[in-house]
């Protein structure tokens, strides 16, 4: 859950109503499959995805994959910076530029919690996601959406998703915001912190419970992502505000359109929780990627400082030159960049979990192997099609 989800879902719902709910559903199913492969790789091989890539591929290839993973982390951090700064502006009227600079201090929170232990980080993430889910549950109830249209669009795709270049752009950004490549690296590492027997039976049980844990978390993410889009469709698209793609505009319109004075404040609080939640996962993923690919381990505060500095610089420039509208466009672009990086994590993941030498008895069954490659090819194909549409100038 990160502010990138907010920008893409708000844009999708306000512009196209409930149409892109199918993209959220299929992206979530892809995420469940790919996270399942990531956790199986981590538990079965006792290597995270970055370590397995370094050991399997040539040094130039490993460096190539590492750089793309870092780009993905940077794009995600960009969304966190913008989203958190917007939330601070909405809640406390802090100027956007100042808010961007303030976001650099969240490194202190990361450092404090990591020193206390990993379970404290998990507890905070669960609390933040729970907060987001509750706040959006209330707002969905108040918005009175069209449940029949929601159900239909969740399971039946529209041809316009791939034929309309503008809708495809939003769809790809939703995909990138949901199936974030660096989280595949992170998940394959995190599952190894669990207490389970390093035997065949122990690993099998650990994989089963980790799959339940992962699928449950991702279904909660499906609810929140769908809730943002449904809220935008029910309140803005239905009300004729089809161009509401900016978080600030949504904040201003929510209270008068829902008739509930606290609607906008709940929206901004959930946004702030979302930004802090993704800050934690981004920091952890950065450590896993850097240590796994190039054997370089930095102190958490230093790793965070480097990543956040790289994200703050372009955000400050865009905010200074183009203001809020520029940051809104940058937010959606960051999620498209995430989607473009996906294939460089997904194809190695599928190949490694389908390799008998790496996985042993836990190697992918033939049906899972072909399904996984089909998903990987679909992700790559959609991104290539978007690039073709872009270069055609459509």
């Amino acid at each position: 859950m990160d502010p990138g989800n907010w920008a893409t879902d708000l844009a999708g719902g306000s512009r196209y109503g409930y149409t892109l709910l199918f993209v959220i559903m299929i992206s979530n199913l892809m995420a469940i499959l790919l996270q399942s492969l990531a956790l199986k790789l981590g538990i079965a091989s006792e290597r995270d995805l970055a370590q397995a890539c370094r050991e399997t591929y040539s040094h130039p290839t490993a460096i190539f994959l590492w750089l793309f993973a870092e780009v993905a982390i940077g794009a995600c951090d960009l969304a966190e910076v913008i989203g958190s700064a917007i939330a601070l502006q909405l809640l406390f009227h802090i100027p956007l530029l100042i808010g961007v600079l303030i976001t650099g201090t969240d490194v202190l929170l990361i450092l404090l919690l990591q020193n206390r232990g990993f379970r404290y980080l998990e507890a905070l993430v669960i609390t933040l996601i729970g907060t987001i889910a509750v706040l959006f549950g209330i707002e969905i109830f108040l918005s009175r959406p069209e449940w029949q249209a929601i159900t239909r669009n969740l399971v039946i795709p529209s041809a316009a998703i791939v034929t309309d270049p503008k809708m495809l752009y939003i769809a790809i950004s939703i995909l990138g915001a949901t199936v974030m490549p660096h989280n595949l690296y992170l998940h394959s590492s995190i599952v190894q912190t669990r207490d389970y027997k390093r035997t065949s039976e122990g690993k099998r049980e650990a994989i089963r419970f980790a799959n339940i844990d992962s699928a449950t978390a991702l279904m909660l993410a499906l609810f929140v992502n769908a809730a943002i889009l449904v809220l935008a469709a029910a309140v803005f698209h239905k009300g004729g505000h089809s161009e509401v793609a900016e978080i600030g505009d949504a904040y201003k319109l929510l209270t008068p359109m829902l008739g509930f004075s606290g609607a906008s404040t709940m929206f901004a609080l959930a946004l702030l929780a979302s930004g802090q939640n993704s800050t934690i996962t981004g920091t952890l993923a950065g450590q896993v990627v850097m240590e796994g690919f190039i054997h370089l381990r930095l102190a958490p505060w230093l790793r965070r400082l480097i990543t956040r500095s790289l994200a703050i610089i372009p955000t400050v420039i865009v905010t200074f030159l183009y203001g809020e509208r520029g940051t809104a466009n940058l937010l959606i672009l960051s999620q498209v960049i995430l989607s473009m990086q996906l294939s460089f994590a997904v194809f190695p993941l599928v190949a490694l979990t389908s390799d008998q030498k790496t996985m042993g008895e836990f190697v992918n069954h033939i049906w899972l192997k072909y399904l996984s490659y089909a998903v990987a090819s679909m992700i790559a194909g959609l991104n290539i099609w978007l690039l073709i549409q872009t270069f055609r100038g459509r």
Side-chain angles (χ1 to χ4, degrees), residues 40 76 112 125-126 128 130 179 214 235 332 375 383 385 391 393:
K40 186 167 71 168
C76 188
L112 173 66
V125 169
I126 290 169
L128 291 171
V179 194
S214 175
V235 178
I332 295 177
V375 168
N383 281 303
W385 180 239
F391 284 119

Side-chain angles (χ1 to χ4, degrees), residues 200-337:
S200 177
E201 184 181 340
K203 288 180 178 180
R204 198 170 296 279
E205 183 180 49
I207 289 171
R208 183 169 71 252
F209 282 116
N211 270 316
I212 294 171
D213 182 28
S214 175
T216 302
L218 284 166
M219 290 309 293
L220 179 57
L222 169 64
F223 166 76
V224 177
N225 284 327
I228 298 171
L229 189 142
V230 166
L231 183 67
V235 178
F236 306 130
H237 185 76
K238 187 179 178 181
H241 295 273
S242 60
E243 291 305 312
V244 176
E246 294 183 31
I247 293 170
D249 291 341
Y251 172 85
K252 294 170 189 172
L253 289 169
L254 269 177
T255 290
M257 295 192 75
L258 284 178
F260 172 59
S261 61
S264 295
T265 302
M266 287 196 303
F267 180 83
L269 283 171
L271 175 61
L272 188 60
S274 174
Q276 294 312 301
N277 174 56
S278 52
T279 288
I280 294 169
T281 57
T283 300
L284 294 173
Q287 289 178 271
V288 168
V289 165
M290 185 173 280
E291 186 175 0
F293 274 118
I294 61 173
H295 271 177
L296 177 61
R297 181 166 183 80
L298 299 178
W301 67 268
L302 181 57
R303 167 72 216 197
R304 187 75 204 140
L305 194 61
I306 292 170
T307 308
R308 183 48 54 98
S309 298
L310 292 174
I312 284 177
I313 292 168
T315 309
V316 167
I317 293 171
V318 170
T319 304
F320 180 75
L321 294 177
Y322 303 105
E324 292 182 28
R325 188 162 298 277
T327 56
N329 293 332
L330 189 60
L331 200 51
I332 295 177
L333 175 63
S334 71
Q335 304 310 293
V336 174
I337 292 171

Side-chain angles (χ1 to χ4, degrees), residues 12 20-21 26 54 153 163 167 171 200 270 325 339 363 375 382:
L20 290 175
L21 277 173
I26 200 71
R54 190 192 69 240
N153 283 286
T163 57
M167 192 183 295
S200 177
R325 188 162 298 277
S339 180
V363 68
V375 168
L382 286 171

Side-chain angles (χ1 to χ4, degrees), residues 34-52:
L34 296 173
Q35 294 282 25
S36 176
L37 295 182
L39 68 87
K40 186 167 71 168
L41 173 68
I43 293 171
S45 71
E46 298 184 32
R47 297 283 185 277
D48 61 52
L49 180 56
Q51 292 170 334

